[in-house]
Amino acid sequence: TSIAAATPPNWEVALWDENLLQGAPPLDPFPAVVGITVHLTFARRAYELAAWYRARGATIILGGLHVLSCPDEAAPHANAIAIGDGVQLWPQILRDIDAGTLRPIYRADFRNDYRDDPSPRRELLPRASFLTTASLIATRGCHNRCGFCYLATNGLQMPYRVKDPAQIAAE
């Protein structure tokens, strides 16, 4: 929903989450661009979906923590990879697709002011798939660096960021 909020208005957005048991991947209308957030535990499945859509002509963009940690592994499975804050990168990726100038790698850090990020587009979520819909997003990242977590990776610069209380209430 955060990436959807960063999508320029000339693009139509649909959200599909296999974990919500929403059925088969979308086919009609067939998406021109497929963005997939890749997590370690679902990387193989993300790559399978990317290959399926790519073989049928969709432009594939991969991002997420696994891509951040393993860009060389992810790159062959996509037309482009997003390394870093996807909310910052997504509008530029779509502009480049429109212009026919898509690059293989896009990079952003996590040092922007989280307060400047747009509000998530929660209207795209299938409400019946969630136990509760009364959630707030107040922070991004984590202030801990647990040894088992991606955020403890040497060299990873992902700060803990917060929104102002008034912004949270408005969402």
Side-chain angles (χ1 to χ4, degrees):
T1 57
S2 294
I3 299 294
T7 302
N10 61 309
W11 286 84
E12 183 179 331
V13 177
L15 185 131
W16 179 76
D17 186 339
E18 194 168 53
N19 295 313
L20 297 178
L21 305 175
Q22 292 179 286
L27 297 174
D28 187 28
F30 190 81
V33 177
V34 176
I36 301 174
T37 301
V38 184
H39 295 274
L40 172 64
T41 53
F42 300 110
R44 183 175 297 145
R45 179 62 178 157
Y47 298 155
E48 289 172 359
L49 287 168
W52 191 89
Y53 276 109
R54 197 173 187 189
R56 288 158 180 78
T59 299
I60 305 300
I61 312 299
L62 297 179
L65 284 175
H66 191 65
V67 174
L68 176 67
S69 299
C70 304
D72 293 336
E73 175 192 299
H77 301 281
N79 298 92
I81 58 173
I83 300 171
D85 188 346
V87 173
Q88 289 180 58
L89 294 172
W90 191 242
Q92 182 62 54
I93 291 169
L94 294 179
R95 282 192 297 274
D96 288 356
I97 289 171
D98 277 339
T101 59
L102 184 67
R103 295 174 289 159
I105 300 173
Y106 290 80
R107 294 181 189 274
D109 60 29
F110 294 91
R111 295 187 186 133
N112 69 313
D113 194 340
Y114 184 44
R115 292 167 181 87
D116 295 337
D117 283 3
S119 296
R121 289 194 51 200
R122 294 187 174 161
E123 78 277 5
L124 297 172
L125 295 173
R127 294 291 192 189
S129 297
F130 294 91
L131 181 60
T132 180
T133 58
S135 65
L136 302 172
I137 301 174
T139 65
R140 191 169 255 174
C142 182
H143 54 82
N144 296 315
R145 292 297 182 258
C146 302
F148 58 83
C149 181
Y150 269 98
L151 297 180
T153 303
N154 285 337
L156 182 60
Q157 299 291 320
M158 186 182 295
Y160 182 64
R161 299 179 294 164
V162 299
K163 285 194 171 187
D164 291 322
Q167 287 179 294
I168 298 162
E171 291 181 0

